Amino acid sequence: MKIHFKSLPANKLSLFPEDIFSRIPQNHPVRLVNEVVDGLDISMLVSQYKGGGTSSYHPRMLLKVLFYSYLSNIYSCRKIEKALQENIHLMWLSGNSTPDYRTINYFRGKRLKGHIQSLFAAVVRMLHELQYVSLDLQYVDGTKIESASGRYSFVWKGSVEKNKAKLEGKIQSVLSEIESQIKQDQGELNRIETPKPIDSTELKNKLAELNSKQKGSTKQTQKQIKQLQQEHLPRLEKYEQQLETLGERNSYSKTDEEATFMRLKDDHMQNGQLKPAYNSQISTENQFITHYSIHQTAGDTTTLTHHLEGFQEQYGKQSTEVVADAGYGSEQNYEWLEEKAIKAYVKYNYFHKEQKRSQKNNPFLVQNLYYNKALDFYVCPMGQRMVCVGQGKRTSSNGYESGVRYYQAKRCDGCPLRGMCHKSKVNRRIEVNPRLNELKAKARAWLLSEEGLKHRSKRPIEVEAVFGQMKSNNKFSRFTLRGLQKVGIEFGLMAIGHNLRKWAAKRLSEQENQQNSVSTAQNRAIYVLFESYQIKYRYAA
């Protein structure tokens, strides 16, 4: 039997050439990207073009290309350039334009600088108009994303301070010796003062003074002055520059000085290696990203206020409710949230541990001791008063001061419960932060309420699901750009791509539901019509 194969359409003559773009479905995400970017105000991008010379690619077209590329998990400018010649969707968006990777990279890294947050917020406002997000609720969490810098070229603050102190000691001894020799050569027997620690500017002035005095000095003195000028001074300047770059951080990468070494858990050994990274914070609602911020500190505690202030700046309003895990539960954050009248469903350390029976029934824990607020004393398990013996302050890593009070028992000798109560050789002494305890009590009441239980159960499937989609499904586990501003641009594009992907899926689902409801209504109408005809036929018979 003869075998027949289908003919190739391209080999047949056609009177009217086929429009390949007609093959793109009407509900495809690329059409949503086109609609969204057409609705954005990009006057701040257009104003950057000065005119004259050769023509430029329109920023609206480049925005469409970048948004759809990040939606499609294409993050490399070289891959975007290639896709513009092969991918029918990007060809349609760009109108068959073919900007090279340099043009795309320049637009992404230079033109979008300082504007990506406003573009992201404009997309979120569109979602708000469609009632996909209310902007009244934020689920906040953070994740560490590795920098594009080298993993083994680092500078540690402790090491720099240690080496700088050693160098200053060496400079002190050399200066002291030089001054002593000069005074002996000049016949001055006055007491030599040991130089104090100096910076590079003072050392330069000192060297200029010594150079003017070194005429007639010994070769040893000249050699020491030369060593100070050629070896010690450059090293001192290097250490000062490194400390200035570090600021409040404890480390940075030499190939991306704005990246900090943080403990990551996504390496092949799963043992939390230190790598240069950025701390990315996001707010979500209905799994849409409503705000993001990039930080150089590893801990989440110090990022919350800055993150929420950024939300206020972008949208001109603040959410009435904020939900976060125990990484954000600090006195400073609780105080700030209370001042802003925000209902904070924010856990604190040991929140879950406190709910256990072993903790609730332990009479020796500080939180379980009876406190007489009127007379300001605690009562130990044996009934002895623990009176206030002093006050103090505790300063956090970011400079926030907390007031604490100290309470101590008077007689613990001979107490039969002493071994279970405390291990101190003197009378038991406890430290209490009254304001933090008050804030914790308020947070605990909200967290254990019906609304709090609902938010606590929803939080893991809100923020964690978004991070899972970004890092696992979309393979966005490492930045490709370097520097805090460029990293912010890249994460902003990733967040926009995530929201557009979610938006497209939601719109498709709504269209399918609408079609199903129409089909159901039609079927119901046909069934009713059929029943009426059947009844009519029975009466006629």
Side-chain angles (χ1 to χ4, degrees):
M1 184 176 288
K2 190 176 180 180
I3 302 174
H4 295 278
F5 294 102
K6 294 183 183 295
S7 60
L8 300 177
N11 293 338
K12 291 183 177 181
L13 294 176
S14 176
L15 180 60
F16 300 103
E18 181 187 6
D19 179 14
I20 63 170
F21 296 140
S22 63
R23 294 173 176 265
I24 302 175
Q26 290 299 318
N27 55 7
H28 195 278
V30 72
R31 297 193 182 275
L32 174 63
V33 173
N34 188 62
E35 293 172 18
V36 168
V37 178
D38 282 342
L40 292 176
D41 177 15
I42 61 167
S43 56
M44 68 286 193
L45 296 178
V46 176
S47 63
Q48 296 182 33
Y49 294 83
K50 297 180 180 178
T54 186
S55 58
S56 303
Y57 288 105
H58 200 284
R60 197 177 295 278
M61 181 273 290
L62 292 171
L63 266 186
K64 292 177 182 179
V65 168
L66 281 174
F67 283 8
Y68 185 73
S69 297
Y70 274 79
L71 182 150
S72 305
N73 307 334
I74 306 174
Y75 313 125
S76 165
C77 289
R78 292 180 185 270
K79 290 183 179 179
I80 295 174
E81 177 189 8
K82 185 179 179 182
L84 281 166
Q85 302 172 13
E86 300 175 352
N87 189 312
I88 184 176
H89 306 119
L90 283 170
M91 291 166 67
W92 177 73
L93 274 180
S94 64
N96 276 327
S97 299
T98 55
D100 62 6
Y101 72 91
R102 293 184 183 89
T103 303
I104 299 168
N105 192 50
Y106 182 83
F107 179 80
R108 180 178 65 173
K110 300 291 185 181
R111 302 287 189 193
L112 291 182
K113 187 180 291 185
H115 303 297
I116 189 64
Q117 278 274 11
S118 59
L119 290 170
F120 169 80
V123 175
V124 174
R125 288 191 191 97
M126 293 181 182
L127 295 169
H128 177 59
E129 290 174 2
L130 294 170
Q131 298 183 353
Y132 289 159
V133 295
S134 67
L135 299 181
D136 293 328
L137 171 63
Q138 294 184 66
Y139 291 92
V140 181
D141 205 351
T143 187
K144 300 175 183 65
I145 301 179
E146 188 177 351
S147 167
S149 61
R151 299 171 180 173
Y152 307 107
S153 57
F154 42 78
V155 175
W156 295 98
K157 190 171 187 177
S159 178
V160 173
E161 290 176 340
K162 180 181 177 182
N163 292 333
K164 184 172 179 288
K166 286 183 179 179
L167 180 62
E168 286 176 344
K170 193 179 292 185
I171 291 172
Q172 285 178 7
S173 62
V174 173
L175 284 174
S176 178
E177 189 175 345
I178 291 173
E179 289 286 351
S180 176
Q181 290 174 359
I182 290 175
K183 288 184 180 293
Q184 286 178 1
D185 293 340
Q186 294 177 352
E188 297 180 12
L189 300 177
N190 296 335
R191 183 173 175 270
I192 308 291
E193 292 185 1
T194 304
K196 298 179 181 179
I198 58 176
D199 57 22
S200 58
T201 305
E202 292 175 350
L203 180 58
K204 286 179 183 177
N205 296 334
K206 195 72 176 175
L207 285 171
E209 182 184 344
L210 291 174
N211 284 326
S212 64
K213 293 180 180 179
Q214 71 172 342
K215 294 179 181 179
S217 59
T218 63
K219 290 184 178 181
Q220 178 66 20
T221 301
Q222 294 175 4
K223 182 179 178 181
Q224 288 174 328
I225 294 174
K226 186 177 180 181
Q227 184 183 26
L228 283 173
Q229 197 150 9
Q230 295 182 356
E231 294 181 20
H232 297 343
L233 178 60
R235 282 179 61 196
L236 184 60
E237 289 176 333
K238 174 187 171 184
Y239 292 145
E240 288 175 349
Q241 187 274 327
Q242 288 177 337
L243 288 174
E244 183 180 353
T245 302
L246 283 162
E248 299 297 324
R249 296 182 292 161
N250 64 348
S251 62
Y252 72 84
S253 171
K254 290 181 180 179
T255 49
D256 182 2
E257 294 185 352
E258 295 182 340
T260 307
F261 276 77
M262 303 178 186
R263 196 168 299 281
L264 306 183
K265 297 180 181 179
D266 57 351
D267 57 281
H268 63 285
M269 295 294 289
Q270 292 291 304
N271 58 0
Q273 294 183 3
L274 288 170
K275 294 178 184 176
Y278 292 92
N279 188 353
S280 307
Q281 299 286 317
I282 65 171
S283 298
T284 68
E285 186 180 356
N286 296 327
Q287 294 191 5
F288 286 102
I289 301 175
T290 55
H291 184 57
Y292 72 91
S293 58
I294 309 296
H295 304 266
Q296 296 173 286
T297 54
D300 291 337
T301 309
T302 57
T303 65
L304 184 64
T305 56
H306 178 269
H307 179 77
L308 295 179
E309 284 170 353
F311 184 95
Q312 171 84 34
E313 183 179 346
Q314 287 298 323
Y315 303 111
K317 59 171 288 186
Q318 189 56 265
S319 299
T320 55
E321 296 178 316
V322 170
V323 185
D325 63 11
Y328 302 88
S330 69
E331 182 181 355
Q332 182 180 8
N333 289 341
Y334 286 137
E335 284 275 13
W336 189 89
L337 291 164
E338 189 176 58
E339 288 175 6
K340 301 295 181 180
I342 300 172
K343 186 175 283 190
Y345 299 97
V346 180
K347 298 177 188 175
Y348 50 86
N349 290 334
Y350 304 109
F351 168 75
H352 289 291
K353 196 173 183 180
E354 285 181 359
Q355 313 309 315
K356 294 182 178 179
R357 189 180 302 173
S358 59
Q359 294 288 310
K360 289 183 176 181
N361 297 335
N362 189 342
F364 303 103
L365 296 177
V366 175
Q367 61 266 26
N368 293 336
L369 298 179
Y370 171 76
Y371 176 64
N372 187 314
K373 189 173 183 179
L375 300 178
D376 189 24
F377 66 84
Y378 282 85
V379 180
C380 77
M382 280 298 292
Q384 183 182 173
R385 289 189 179 187
M386 302 179 70
V387 297
C388 181
V389 295
Q391 299 182 12
K393 289 184 178 180
R394 289 284 179 267
T395 306
S396 64
S397 58
N398 59 334
Y400 182 79
E401 286 190 351
S402 301
V404 296
R405 296 173 67 83
Y406 305 106
Y407 297 84
Q408 190 168 22
K410 293 184 178 180
R411 297 185 306 276
C412 288
D413 294 336
C415 177
L417 302 179
R418 179 168 183 169
M420 295 181 287
C421 186
H422 66 101
K423 297 181 180 180
S424 174
K425 293 182 180 179
V426 296
N427 296 330
R428 184 179 181 183
R429 181 187 175 106
I430 61 173
E431 180 182 299
V432 178
N433 185 335
R435 179 56 179 159
L436 180 58
N437 288 345
E438 180 185 342
L439 294 169
K440 278 184 176 181
K442 186 179 293 186
R444 189 186 305 115
W446 283 339
L447 289 165
L448 296 177
S449 66
E450 185 178 349
E451 192 72 12
L453 291 172
K454 185 186 78 173
H455 286 315
R456 283 164 53 195
S457 63
K458 194 176 178 181
R459 192 198 66 82
I461 62 174
E462 271 283 343
V463 195
E464 301 295 345
V466 173
F467 284 141
Q469 291 171 17
M470 292 174 63
K471 301 180 77 172
S472 181
N473 297 351
N474 304 325
K475 309 301 179 186
F476 188 76
S477 56
R478 191 180 187 189
F479 290 110
T480 58
L481 301 179
R482 300 181 183 184
L484 191 61
Q485 281 193 323
K486 290 187 176 181
V487 162
I489 293 172
E490 192 170 8
F491 194 88
L493 289 170
M494 186 65 199
I496 291 171
H498 170 85
N499 284 348
L500 291 173
R501 190 186 303 111
K502 191 84 178 171
W503 185 354
K506 202 169 185 66
R507 189 165 75 166
L508 179 61
S509 176
E510 289 174 352
Q511 290 173 354
E512 289 176 351
N513 291 337
Q514 188 176 3
Q515 290 173 0
N516 291 337
S517 62
V518 171
S519 299
T520 303
Q522 290 174 347
N523 292 337
R524 188 179 295 110
I526 293 171
Y527 177 76
V528 171
L529 186 63
F530 175 75
E531 283 289 326
S532 64
Y533 274 115
Q534 204 172 28
I535 293 170
K536 186 177 181 182
Y537 175 75
R538 287 174 189 165
Y539 279 113

